[in-house]
Amino acid sequence: MKIQYFKAKKKDEFTERQMVPPFQLTYPFTAHWNCFSLLDFRMNPNRKRKTYSENDIEKALRMTRQGVSIRQAARRHGIPAETLRDKVREKYPLGAKPGKDPVLTKQEETKIVSWVTSIARAGFPVSIKQLRISVGQFVRQTRKHTPFRNGIPGKKWVMLFLKRHPEISVRTPSVLARYRATITMEQIKGWFGEVHVYLEQDNLIHLLDCPDRVFNLDETSFDLVVKKRKCLAMKQSKHVYSVFGNNDKESYTALFTASASGVLLPPLVLFPYKQRIPGGIALTAPPDWGIGRTESGWMTGNAFYDFLKNVFQPWLVREGIPLPVLLFVDGHKSHATLMSTNFCKDHGIILICLFPNSTHLTQPLDVSFFRPMKQYWYDALSTFRANHGMRTIARTEICPLLKTAIEEFNNKEQVIVSGFRKSGLYPWKPEAVNFAAMPTNEVLQNENTTAIPDPVQEDRTFFHAFEARLSADQLKEFRKQEGSECWRGATEETNLFQFWKNWKREYENHNGSDDENDFLGFPEGEYLT
């Protein structure tokens, strides 16, 4: 006779259904009541577990080797007979913990812990979300078979990981994202002191005296129209227009790196593509440049990792730069992924985060390089328009135009050296920072007594208010065509769509995106060098 048990509506109640064969069974069947008690015992979370040590197991094993039965030896030392039987058969090694093994090995988890602690020390604290997605991408890259849903560990894994590593705890970091004007001289000098101590502890202080081994890296965008450049016109003209063939909102991101000795490294240019980059674009770029793609066209963790791997580190090897080297970067989340920091650690690249909201004072490329660089870029755009009229600048012409602008920038070496000197990074001199550009104490006191408007919050408020004034059909259609190059709806709504699309990008840039590519970059990217 076959018996099946079914869960009833009330807790711990079961029903019984007998599958009766053609002939009738007359003997009583009572063994199933033991099944009820066993199930009830397993469903009770407050049941008491038997406690025994590894020493008890070893003593019981010695008794079984002397001829004592497994059941008697188990009863003598308070060990379940089935557990002792598994030990006798060597089904599980002695000393092994019960349950499944962790997904990551001890060595891999030790590297994760080292990454979390070292990167927090350098100014890049890791959130739980970053940890989960970083581990998920690490698992995918190493092709591990895991029970993770969607390939990303859940909250339970994080809880057990923190339990296995009590040296890590969830903390609330101090947020320093106020106006740049609120940065004080004491804070910046304190950052210089902390970096100096950090380098002394790791025996890296001598790098500050080697300009060829001190680098700064940052991204900037290049518009395809010339903006805010003065021109000649009639006095009575109320409006003066400068007509270009491209959209005035279209821009491309380029990542520049320079050393304290004035050397400008090959840049990385990003293009907004979801799939592969067209071959024509790669052919127009110099062979040592980096050409990358991201869905939004902005810098992501994938792009930064591939730049380090395919452009920066090969350049160090090709130029014979002694390792290690210092690389000063801002606090953008794309600069602090697990794979990027591990790559830097393995190849002698010391990442150091600049003090938050102070890059206009402490980042050499921001201090001296980007402004004249964009002037040469605008000159290249003006020359293009003079030669080609109203023709639209194609994406295959971006890299040649940028190359022309860099080549026309004759004194870039002196400008870069000046930027490192004014930012105090080389020579290492905190007093060299232009503290005169900071507000005086009277200004700060006035700001502390009045409410300071937050431009980021104002942008978010405006964006939500603007969307609220759109109809449901308009908003639905805008979101549907957000990834399109051109508006395919009603002609009269073209400008409205472009306005919404650009403001949405600004809002997402300030608010942060849920896309894992925004701050984690482990899979191999399609970057041609």
Side-chain angles (χ1 to χ4, degrees), residues 167-181:
E167 65 271 23
I168 299 178
S169 61
V170 180
R171 304 286 297 274
T172 302
S174 300
V175 179
L176 300 174
R178 289 194 64 191
Y179 268 151
R180 293 174 184 249

Side-chain angles (χ1 to χ4, degrees), residues 297-313:
W298 301 332
M299 179 57 63
T300 64
N302 289 338
F304 183 72
Y305 170 67
D306 284 340
F307 170 80
L308 293 175
K309 182 179 179 180
N310 300 326
V311 180
F312 184 69
Q313 194 271 339

Side-chain angles (χ1 to χ4, degrees), residues 501-527:
K501 183 178 179 180
N502 292 323
W503 266 104
K504 190 172 187 297
R505 284 188 176 181
E506 293 293 333
Y507 169 76
E508 290 179 346
N509 189 30
H510 291 154
N511 198 36
S513 174
D514 292 336
D515 187 1
E516 62 186 56
N517 289 333
D518 281 349
F519 55 93
L520 297 155
F522 298 103
E524 293 291 335
E526 298 168 4
Y527 299 94

